[in-house]
Amino acid sequence: MTEHKTGYVAILGLPNSGKSTLLNALLDQKLSITTAKPQTTRKRILGILSEKNFQIIFLDTPGILSPSYLLQKKMMEDVDLAVKDADLIILMIDTFDDPRGEKLLNQEFVKKFILNLKKPKLLVLNKVDQLKQEKVIELIKYFESQKLFKEVIPISASLNFNIKRVKDEIIQFLPEGSKLFPDDQITDASERYFVSELVREKILEIYRDEVPYSCEVLIVEFKERETSKHFISAEIVVERDSQKVIIIGKGGSAIKKLGEVARKSIEEFLQREVFLELRVKVRRKWRSDENLLKSFGYTKKD
Ligand SMILES: Nc1nc2c(ncn2[C@@H]2O[C@H](COP(=O)(O)OP(=O)(O)OP(=O)(O)O)[C@@H](O)[C@H]2O)c(=O)[nH]1
Ligand SMILES: [Mg+2]
């Protein structure tokens, strides 16, 4: 009889290193939103990969940073919880931005907490498509000589390079155990949540500077209809009136464009046509407001 393995795997790294891209590559499905801007992921995203002899429960996390407002503090609480839940840790380095991992490995939380954990740790060197092969070999040798990690794996999450090796290495270190989720379950969050995330992804792509960081997206209505398009109404919460003006744009042009691209991406995700309504609401300083953050789902139950 072959053994069955099950475990939680936290994917950790600095903002923009490619953690969510790796989660999607491992699941072979777009679950977590990814953009060229840092701080895209704000809550931990759970993604389940089930095969006959194993079940890997991935925890994609917000990029590690030193928080300067309450929302960022909540984001780091999610990182903390993921680390605590994890049986195995994947630390990801963006080899283009931080080839020797100095930024990541010298980050307080990483240096003092993560590196000292007894849990097995894999180091994933991401974005090697941007590097010459000799440089990649040099980096692997450099990190292997540090002996901090069970394995050092060069990958390109966006080009799907070496993703299978990541999976195979994870399985090696996974504890024995039976499945915790049904085989056909891919996540623990609702469709509504992923729809709100897709709107936020498009906000990050379209708007600049502080604007996308001041936005939260809430689904206020999600009507499933058998005979016509689903009706989805989303509220974009901003911190200031001036941001509301920017989101809407001249004569409503910006929000119209946002609605179009977000709708397309939601339709792709849900595999059906939808009608998407967007409204903008000002909630002053929501990013520093404990109660509002709580109502937006930023406080953990446990
Ligand atoms: N060239 C290259 N770009 C990549 C690779 N993997 C991810 N990216 C890009 O890096 C950017 C950030 O990717 P994300 O997956 O959103 O990064 P993240 O670590 O989840 O970021 P946060 O959620 O902000 O912490 C996106 O523009 C990706 O397309 C890679 O292997 N090569
Ligand atoms: Mg992310």
Side-chain angles (χ1 to χ4, degrees):
M1 204 176 75
T2 36
E3 59 179 13
H4 187 280
K5 292 181 157 195
T6 298
Y8 283 85
V9 176
I11 307 175
L12 308 169
L14 295 178
N16 211 40
S17 50
K19 301 176 294 299
S20 303
T21 309
L22 173 62
L23 175 80
N24 294 342
L26 284 159
L27 297 177
D28 198 18
Q29 180 170 335
K30 180 178 164 161
L31 190 65
S32 200
I33 60 165
T34 65
T35 79
K37 289 196 176 78
Q39 298 179 52
T40 294
T41 306
R42 285 184 180 163
K43 292 178 185 162
R44 81 105 170 87
I45 308 279
L46 184 142
I48 309 162
L49 184 66
S50 300
E51 285 182 29
K52 192 163 173 278
N53 297 321
F54 66 86
Q55 184 167 68
I56 313 174
I57 303 141
F58 290 105
L59 304 170
D60 179 20
T61 61
I64 298 169
L65 47 77
S66 307
S68 41
Y69 46 90
L70 196 58
L71 168 64
Q72 290 183 331
K73 191 163 166 267
K74 302 263 175 213
M75 287 158 62
M76 290 310 104
E77 283 172 13
D78 262 22
V79 177
D80 203 32
L81 284 176
V83 173
K84 288 185 177 129
D85 281 343
D87 296 294
L88 184 148
I89 284 168
I90 292 184
L91 268 177
M92 174 180 276
I93 281 175
D94 176 340
T95 54
F96 189 67
D97 176 61
D98 186 23
R100 295 200 157 220
E102 282 133 353
K103 291 186 199 168
L104 178 74
L105 304 175
N106 287 319
Q107 211 281 345
E108 277 308 82
F109 179 73
V110 177
K111 197 158 89 179
K112 296 207 171 130
F113 182 56
I114 298 177
L115 291 180
N116 290 320
L117 288 170
K118 290 278 176 291
K119 307 181 182 200
K121 296 178 272 297
L122 306 181
L123 184 71
V124 163
L125 307 178
N126 192 28
K127 309 195 186 179
V128 297
D129 54 288
Q130 305 272 64
L131 263 58
K132 288 211 173 82
Q133 202 173 352
E134 306 87 76
K135 179 75 185 166
V136 178
I137 294 167
E138 181 208 309
L139 288 179
I140 296 171
K141 283 192 185 140
Y142 169 76
F143 286 113
E144 280 180 348
S145 72
Q146 293 187 333
K147 304 210 181 311
L148 290 170
F149 307 101
K150 295 280 187 200
E151 295 290 337
V152 178
I153 314 164
I155 68 161
S156 170
S158 60
L159 297 183
N160 248 305
F161 166 70
N162 234 3
I163 303 304
K164 182 164 183 312
R165 165 129 187 252
V166 176
K167 194 171 87 178
D168 291 344
E169 299 290 2
I170 290 170
I171 296 166
Q172 268 205 64
F173 296 101
L174 227 49
E176 275 179 42
S178 43
K179 291 191 199 295
L180 298 174
F181 294 90
D183 274 332
D184 58 355
Q185 187 174 342
I186 182 163
T187 186
D188 64 344
S190 62
E191 255 180 6
R192 285 171 84 112
Y193 177 67
F194 289 105
V195 166
S196 74
E197 283 287 273
L198 289 171
V199 178
R200 208 166 57 76
E201 180 182 66
K202 298 305 161 201
I203 292 174
L204 277 153
E205 283 172 8
I206 291 176
Y207 301 97
R208 288 184 308 171
D209 307 320
E210 197 56 16
V211 174
Y213 295 103
S214 308
C215 290
E216 181 65 334
V217 178
L218 307 171
I219 303 299
V220 288
E221 219 178 318
F222 193 117
K223 253 193 237 141
E224 294 187 19
R225 300 189 287 209
E226 281 304 318
T227 50
S228 60
K229 296 178 183 181
H230 281 5
F231 175 80
I232 300 171
S233 178
E235 198 171 86
I236 301 165
V237 179
V238 292
E239 292 207 303
R240 293 199 294 269
D241 294 313
S242 58
Q243 292 160 347
K244 179 172 176 175
V245 171
I246 294 170
I247 293 287
I248 292 169
K250 245 199 192 127
S253 57
I255 201 165
K256 183 164 177 255
K257 181 176 159 205
L258 171 65
E260 275 165 22
V261 290
R263 179 181 52 76
K264 281 194 190 120
S265 141
I266 293 166
E267 287 179 338
E268 211 169 293
F269 177 72
L270 295 175
Q271 293 286 304
R272 62 170 299 151
E273 292 194 324
V274 301
F275 180 88
L276 178 67
E277 177 187 77
L278 297 177
R279 290 165 195 268
V280 191
K281 202 168 199 167
V282 180
R283 286 265 183 260
R284 292 191 205 285
K285 297 202 173 155
W286 69 263
R287 293 187 302 178
S288 316
D289 185 317
E290 180 81 52
N291 289 331
L292 283 176
L293 284 167
K294 200 170 167 186
S295 73
F296 297 168
Y298 282 103
T299 301
K300 297 295 139 231
K301 318 100 217 160
D302 35 335

